[in-house]
């Protein structure tokens, strides 16, 4: 969360600098009235990265007993996808809108010599409100709403026996999780219908379980947070 606040503060500082260098809020710096009005629908694409942190505790699915102390871990992955939304700019040049995005990502496989985990393709998305202010061609905004993710992976027993999992057996799981997302971004109009943006999102998921039937245990995630940085392009109608 400290990283979230630091990024948002950085964006606000950048916005203030850009505002000071803009000759007039009502007259964009680029000739041709590039972003005279930010109102309307838009679609686009993005790429970026995710940095996730989580804490889980393993429990037996047969006895319900806790199998080990809570375990914390982190991971990172590349993501890419698309977004769409609608903005409405007020006379004051304040802006309100709605946005949704959809991304695909795949984490890295890992192994400790006894067990190997291989994550599969994950789909995640958000539905958000956003509010901001247009400094000519530069739009600064904050955003927040609902986030979800759906994906799974496989667990391969390499050595030893856990539950019914013997060497060579493979467990597969699929998990849906959801929570809230907060963020901030900067968007800059480069032509009448085109804009580039950079956006930070802080995603926090509600507790969820990941169950491996053959190994006969469930990982109960008490916390799962994700820092996301996206760079993209929008086409405005």
């Amino acid at each position: 969360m400290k990283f979230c606040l630091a990024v948002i503060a950085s964006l606000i500082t950048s916005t203030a600098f850009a505002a000071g260098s803009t000759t007039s809020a009502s007259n964009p710096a680029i000739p041709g009235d590039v972003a005279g009005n930010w109102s309307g629908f838009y679609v686009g694409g993005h790429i970026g990265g995710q940095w996730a942190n989580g804490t889980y505790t393993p429990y037996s699915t047969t006895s319900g007993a806790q199998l080990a102390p809570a375990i914390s871990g982190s991971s990172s992955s590349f993501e890419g996808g698309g977004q769409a939304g609608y903005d409405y700019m007020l006379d004051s040049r304040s802006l309100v809108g709605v946005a949704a995005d959809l991304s695909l990502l795949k984490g890295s496989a890992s192994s400790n010599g006894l067990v190997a985990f291989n994550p599969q393709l994950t789909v995640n998305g958000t539905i958000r409100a956003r509010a901001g202010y247009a400094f000519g061609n530069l739009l600064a905004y904050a955003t927040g709403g609902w986030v979800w993710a759906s994906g799974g992976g496989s667990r391969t027993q390499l050595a030893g026996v856990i539950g019914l999992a013997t060497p060579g057996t493979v467990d597969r799981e699929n998990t849906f999780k959801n929570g809230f997302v907060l963020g901030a971004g900067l968007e800059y109009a480069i032509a009448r219908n085109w804009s580039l943006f950079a956006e930070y999102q802080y995603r926090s998921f509600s507790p969820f379980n990941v169950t491996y039937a053959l190994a006969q245990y469930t990982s109960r995630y008490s916390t799962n947070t994700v820092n996301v940085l996206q760079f993209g392009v929008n086409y405005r109608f």
Side-chain angles (χ1 to χ4, degrees):
M1 192 64 180
K2 291 181 179 179
F3 180 68
C4 171
L5 296 174
V7 172
I8 293 175
S10 176
L11 289 172
I12 292 173
T13 302
S14 299
T15 300
F17 176 79
S21 61
T22 302
T23 56
S24 171
S26 60
N27 295 296
I30 296 179
D33 192 28
V34 173
N37 193 333
W38 288 83
S39 294
F41 291 97
Y42 62 88
V43 296
H46 64 266
I47 59 173
Q50 292 196 4
W51 296 266
N53 295 281
T55 300
Y56 67 91
T57 305
Y59 288 86
S60 169
T61 56
T62 57
S63 68
Q66 182 175 326
L67 301 177
I71 302 168
S72 297
S74 61
S75 63
S76 62
S77 58
F78 171 85
E79 71 163 28
Q83 68 279 342
Y86 178 82
D87 289 326
Y88 182 75
M89 192 171 78
L90 306 174
D91 291 340
S92 62
R93 301 195 66 81
S94 297
L95 177 143
V96 294
V98 293
D101 62 44
L102 189 70
S103 303
L104 299 177
L105 64 96
K106 186 178 185 300
S108 301
S110 62
S111 171
N112 61 9
L114 298 177
V115 178
F117 292 94
N118 184 27
Q120 303 301 309
L121 196 65
T122 296
V123 182
N124 64 63
T126 69
I127 299 176
R128 297 169 283 117
R130 72 176 194 166
Y133 189 85
F135 300 91
N137 291 335
L138 179 66
L139 172 66
Y141 61 89
T143 184
W146 179 64
V147 59
W148 62 271
S150 179
S154 62
R155 174 195 182 280
T156 303
Q157 190 74 29
L158 301 178
V161 177
I162 297 180
L164 300 177
T166 57
T169 57
V170 179
D171 260 328
R172 301 189 185 279
E173 60 82 20
N174 193 283
T175 302
F176 177 85
K177 56 186 179 181
N178 69 104
F180 72 87
V181 55
L182 298 173
L186 296 173
E187 189 168 355
Y188 190 80
I190 57 174
R192 184 173 295 276
N193 299 103
W194 294 94
S195 61
L196 302 176
F197 72 88
E199 182 175 293
Y200 168 78
Q201 294 180 7
Y202 173 82
R203 301 174 179 178
S204 179
F205 291 96
S206 301
F208 62 94
N209 296 336
V210 178
T211 299
Y212 298 101
L214 290 175
Q216 297 183 324
Y217 74 86
T218 293
S219 295
R220 299 181 184 176
Y221 279 80
S222 56
T223 62
N224 182 209
T225 60
V226 185
N227 295 289
V228 181
L229 190 59
Q230 295 179 346
F231 301 93
V233 57
N234 284 323
Y235 179 82
R236 294 182 169 273
F237 298 95

